Structures are given as C-alpha cells and as structure tokens.
C-alpha cells in the first residue's frame, strides 16, 4: 500500500521560516511527480507547488512564488517544501500528494500556524 | 488561476442520487480531460475517487461516476449511503498548475 507521511509543521512568526518534509512507503518520492496542497482552517483545497520526476522543473501557485521552494533530497528519499517570509494567510494544513494530472496518494497533512 | 465553481451543498436521502457540478474555463476543465474528484471526510485527508473525468481508482464503488461537457464537469453519486456525507472537491490539471473547486458538502438526509 502506498502511504505518505508529512512532518515539520508547527508555529512560526510572521516573516519566519519552516521546512516541511514528506516521505513515502510503497513508492519512491524521488521517482514520482509530487505536489504540495494546503487547506486553510474551514476552507477549501489550494494547490501550492509541483516538482517533476527528475526534479528539473518546479512550479508554484502565485500566492507562494518567490517565498516557497520545493525540492527532492535523493540521499534521504524525501520531498521538502521550504516556507519563507511566512504570512498569516499561510496558516493551513499542508498535504503532500503524488501525481501530475491527478493526485492519487495523499498524506494526512502537517499543520502550519503563522502567528505572533 | 481562479478556483473552479461548485455549489456549496447538495443533499439526498439514502438510496437516491445526487449530482454535483464543477465549472471552470477553457484553460482548465474545458481544455483537458484531466478532471478529478476528491472526497474528504471531516478531519481527514482528501481521497481520489474519480480521475481523467470518468475513471475510478481501484476500490472506489461504481456508485461514483463522472462526466464532462465543455467547461463543466459533474460527479454523480448513486444509491446514496450515510458514509457518502462528506466534502467533495473537483480538481483540474491546468498547464502544470492545478486548480481545485470551491467544494461541495453532500448531506445525506
């Protein structure tokens, strides 16, 4: 069974940084197209970022471009999302998910709260 | 990229059918046959139930079906069961981006 586990969430101050990490079992994150999706409290789903299989192409939603960075670590087999210059509106549960055209495996999410 | 438009809620009694719409543009829903539907129970992660407009992942009951016409996709849940009560989101590939719908809560009366 393919499973995903996210970690790294927590409380950050406005303007601060966090690193989210995603590891998988049953498939290899490094050999998969991977996306991050977030969901603010009581709100809908919002796509955040995409990285392709080879990690040669990355894409970002307008709301996070220039502040967030997606990457793959081949040594650890993990996917990461670096969150910088955090804003209150970045408060959300962040999900790691597998897929390019559709998202067929999702993690349970990690919660990020941006507050002073 | 603007969110796809879904009705806030839909309801039906057990055994009945309910259909949810998802309206986008020619840049997303209308431009690709890569519309998906996700089911999310409270406090849980989303689960893929329909992909590529009409296909069901292994293990998803045939009661769930999808279709598309122009810039609007639809999800039909037949023979409603109490466990179908959840939030449902459409999603569409859009030139490497991905756009989700606003979400619809299905209420089983």
């Amino acid at each position: 069974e393919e499973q995903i586990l996210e970690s790294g969430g927590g409380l950050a101050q406005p303007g601060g940084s966090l690193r989210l990490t995603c590891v998988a079992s049953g498939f290899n994150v490094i050999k998969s197209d991977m996306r991050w999706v977030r969901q603010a409290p009581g709100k809908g789903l919002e796509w955040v970022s995409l990285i392709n299989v080879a990690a040669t192409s990355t894409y970002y939603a307008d709301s996070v471009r220039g502040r967030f960075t997606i990457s793959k670590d081949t040594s650890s087999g993990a996917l990461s999302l670096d969150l910088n210059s955090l804003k209150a509106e970045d408060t959300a549960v962040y999900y790691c998910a597998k897929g390019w055209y559709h998202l067929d495996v999702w993690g349970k999410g990690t919660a990020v709260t941006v507050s002073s | 990229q603007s969110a796809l438009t879904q009705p806030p809620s839909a309801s039906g009694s057990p055994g009945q059918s309910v259909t949810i719409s998802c309206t986008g543009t020619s840049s997303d829903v209308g431009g690709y046959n890569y519309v998906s539907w996700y089911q999310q129970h409270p406090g849980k992660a989303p689960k893929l139930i329909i992909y590529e407009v009409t296909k069901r992942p292994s293990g998803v009951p045939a009661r769930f079906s999808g279709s598309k016409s122009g810039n609007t996709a639809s999800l039909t849940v037949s023979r409603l069961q109490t466990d179908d009560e959840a939030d449902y989101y459409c999603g569409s590939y859009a030139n490497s981006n991905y756009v989700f719908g606003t979400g619809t809560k299905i209420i089983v009366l």
Side-chain angles (χ1 to χ4, degrees):
Chain A
E1 181 187 7
E2 296 179 332
Q3 293 184 324
I4 288 174
L5 180 65
E6 304 95 336
S7 60
L11 176 64
Q13 292 192 337
S17 300
L18 281 175
R19 165 169 272 206
L20 307 184
T21 299
C22 164
V23 294
S25 59
F27 73 96
N28 192 335
V29 162
I30 303 302
K31 296 181 179 179
S32 302
D33 301 310
M34 300 295 297
R35 294 185 185 264
W36 287 95
V37 175
R38 67 183 180 182
Q39 186 170 34
K43 302 297 184 181
L45 302 172
E46 178 189 16
W47 169 71
V48 172
S49 184
L50 162 69
I51 188 166
N52 68 345
V53 171
T56 53
S57 297
T58 57
Y59 306 87
Y60 299 93
D62 290 344
S63 57
V64 307
R65 187 176 294 113
R67 300 188 299 120
F68 290 9
T69 302
I70 191 171
S71 62
K72 291 181 178 180
D73 185 343
T74 54
S75 62
S76 65
L79 174 74
S80 294
L81 185 69
D82 289 315
L83 286 59
N84 296 307
S85 302
L86 281 163
K87 306 175 182 179
E89 51 264 41
D90 295 320
T91 294
V93 173
Y94 284 73
Y95 295 102
C96 174
K98 178 170 76 74
W100 186 270
Y101 296 112
H102 56 268
L103 307 178
D104 59 355
V105 184
W106 294 67
K108 294 183 178 181
T110 186
V112 171
T113 301
V114 183
S115 174
S116 55
Chain B
Q1 200 85 36
S2 298
L4 309 176
T5 301
Q6 296 181 235
S9 65
S11 62
S13 299
Q16 291 185 330
S17 295
V18 63
T19 298
I20 301 170
S21 62
C22 167
T23 301
T25 69
S26 58
S27 296
D28 37 62
V29 174
Y32 307 90
N33 284 323
Y34 292 122
V35 175
S36 303
W37 290 90
Y38 303 88
Q39 177 192 62
Q40 186 180 35
H41 286 105
K44 301 294 187 181
K47 172 188 173 184
L48 178 70
I49 56 173
I50 295 287
Y51 66 101
E52 293 178 13
V53 181
T54 61
K55 298 178 181 179
R56 283 177 291 106
S58 174
V60 174
R63 302 186 297 106
F64 294 90
S65 61
S67 63
K68 191 186 86 166
S69 178
N71 295 337
T72 299
S74 298
L75 171 72
T76 297
V77 186
S78 304
R79 301 184 297 282
L80 270 175
Q81 299 181 0
T82 54
D83 189 53
D84 297 334
E85 185 159 298
D87 292 324
Y88 291 79
Y89 294 91
C90 60
S92 177
Y93 174 81
N95 191 25
S96 299
N97 295 334
Y98 201 86
V99 60
F100 287 100
T102 50
T104 299
K105 183 175 182 63
I106 288 184
I107 300 166
V108 181
L109 301 170

